[in-house]
Amino acid sequence: MTWLITGGAGYIGAHVARAMTGAGERVVALDDLSAGVPARLPAEVPLVRGSALDGELLRKVLAEHAVTGVVHLAARKQVAESVAQPTRYYRENVGGLATLLDAVADAGIGRFLFSSSAAVYGNPDVGLITEDTPCAPVNPYGETKLAGEWLVRAAGQAHGIATVCLRYFNVAGAAAPELADTGVFNIVPMVFDRLTRDEAPRIFGDDYPTPDGTCVRDYIHVADLAEAHLAAAGRLSAPGAAGDLTLNIGRGEGVSVREMVDVIGEVTGDRRPPVVEARRPGDAPVSVAAAERAARELGWTARRGVGEMVESAWSGWRLRHGG
């Protein structure tokens, strides 16, 4: 097997590349480097700079590297940006996926793993979100991920491609400091950024119908997420692999925003109280995965806790920012 990982030099992509090469898989990465960092990749992984929108390049890469399976991670992924630039998100996330699937079908590749998101669910009023919870995304980013799932399944059925769609919940942490997230878009790096600038953490809304009034989320360590990809790739590589599979990837355990801020304070030693600001539009009170299906189908469960996520992310933050 040789796997193409699109977005392979990104935060999640590099973790997946390391997990797969560590398990003896051959990997080639494609990344336009808009957010990717080449130094994140293992030395043995070739990096091709380019976009999933470039069909000619894709066909060349698939042929030259004798690719037999694809892990598609490359995508725009910021909710606020998707609201401001919806056509860009549809063009890159859905158009790029369509271009890639055409190249995969033309090359006769029979295995495809798609990076989806819990954003496909929108804001369901349920305690645990199962894979059967109705999907009702509330922003263009989530819409592109749901449309992507539809497209992956349809192309799989049309061309005999075995497919897996993984719906990530909230990803945090790092397997090594140099692999840490360089963006400041999620709660952990956002709080680190505030503390580094000698400002108090912010909580957006404390009047939700939750135990402490703040939103509750399911956080998963990126190393666990990478291992889920490795397990899914193994499922796709099994003799007779066929059909499609859609799975939540989370821990099945809720952590409130205030609880996460408290953990960050313990790890960093900066325990200043957060300031509470107005709710952000579209934030669901609770978003927690039901993770049993992934355990049953892949033999995979998340192993790392919130403390380990924050400690590893803090090591990566200090590597880049000092302290």
Side-chain angles (χ1 to χ4, degrees):
M1 291 289 297
T2 297
W3 291 89
L4 171 66
I5 303 178
T6 69
Y11 167 51
I12 294 172
H15 279 89
V16 174
R18 286 206 177 190
M20 295 186 81
T21 56
E25 299 284 356
R26 290 189 299 273
V27 169
V28 56
L30 176 80
D31 201 299
D32 66 6
L33 301 184
S34 59
V37 179
R40 283 175 169 151
L41 285 166
E44 67 270 26
V45 174
L47 171 63
V48 178
R49 183 169 184 173
S51 167
L53 287 162
D54 188 340
E56 182 177 348
L57 175 63
L58 291 172
R59 285 171 171 79
K60 180 180 178 182
V61 171
L62 296 176
E64 289 186 352
H65 293 273
V67 171
T68 51
V70 173
V71 179
H72 183 48
L73 302 170
R76 308 294 306 178
K77 62 176 185 177
Q78 302 307 323
V79 168
E81 184 182 62
S82 79
V83 173
Q85 303 178 41
T87 56
R88 181 185 187 186
Y89 268 66
Y90 273 86
R91 180 172 59 252
E92 296 193 23
N93 289 7
V94 182
L97 173 60
T99 303
L100 176 59
L101 285 167
D102 278 341
V104 165
D106 290 346
I109 294 169
R111 302 164 184 86
F112 196 93
L113 175 53
F114 177 60
S115 162
S116 189
S117 168
V120 301
Y121 295 114
N123 297 333
D125 185 17
V126 295
L128 282 178
I129 298 173
T130 75
E131 290 84 352
D132 299 319
T133 298
C135 292
V138 295
N139 53 63
Y141 167 66
E143 291 167 3
T144 65
K145 286 300 184 181
L146 183 56
E149 289 188 10
W150 294 339
L151 183 54
V152 166
R153 295 187 195 107
Q157 292 169 5
H159 302 293
I161 304 168
T163 65
V164 175
C165 297
L166 299 182
R167 293 172 174 170
Y168 312 165
F169 280 66
N170 298 68
V171 185
E178 64 272 17
L179 297 184
D181 193 358
T182 57
V184 186
F185 304 108
N186 301 315
I187 182 172
V188 175
M190 286 174 67
V191 174
F192 290 166
D193 183 58
R194 297 277 296 186
L195 297 179
T196 300
R197 291 188 283 114
D198 198 29
E199 297 174 358
R202 292 186 296 179
I203 290 177
F204 297 99
D206 66 350
D207 58 349
Y208 288 93
T210 62
D212 66 15
T214 67
C215 293
V216 173
R217 295 290 180 265
D218 190 334
Y219 297 94
I220 181 167
H221 197 295
V222 66
D224 282 325
L225 178 64
E227 290 168 4
H229 284 77
L230 181 60
R235 169 70 176 260
L236 289 171
S237 302
D244 65 87
L245 187 62
T246 300
L247 300 171
N248 288 338
I249 302 297
R251 292 191 307 133
E253 179 180 329
V255 177
S256 76
V257 170
R258 189 175 294 278
E259 288 171 333
M260 179 60 87
V261 170
D262 287 345
V263 172
I264 294 170
E266 293 171 6
V267 169
T268 63
D270 189 330
R271 296 180 174 84
R272 73 185 76 190
V275 296
V276 177
E277 299 186 3
R279 292 186 182 192
R280 296 181 301 188
D283 275 348
V286 178
S287 179
V288 180
E292 292 82 5
R293 188 174 297 180
R296 183 174 66 251
E297 296 287 350
L298 301 181
W300 167 91
T301 55
R303 298 183 292 115
R304 299 162 178 87
V306 172
E308 189 170 348
M309 294 179 213
V310 175
E311 289 169 0
S312 61
W314 181 234
S315 295
W317 182 270
R318 287 184 297 168
L319 178 67
R320 295 190 310 280
H321 299 276

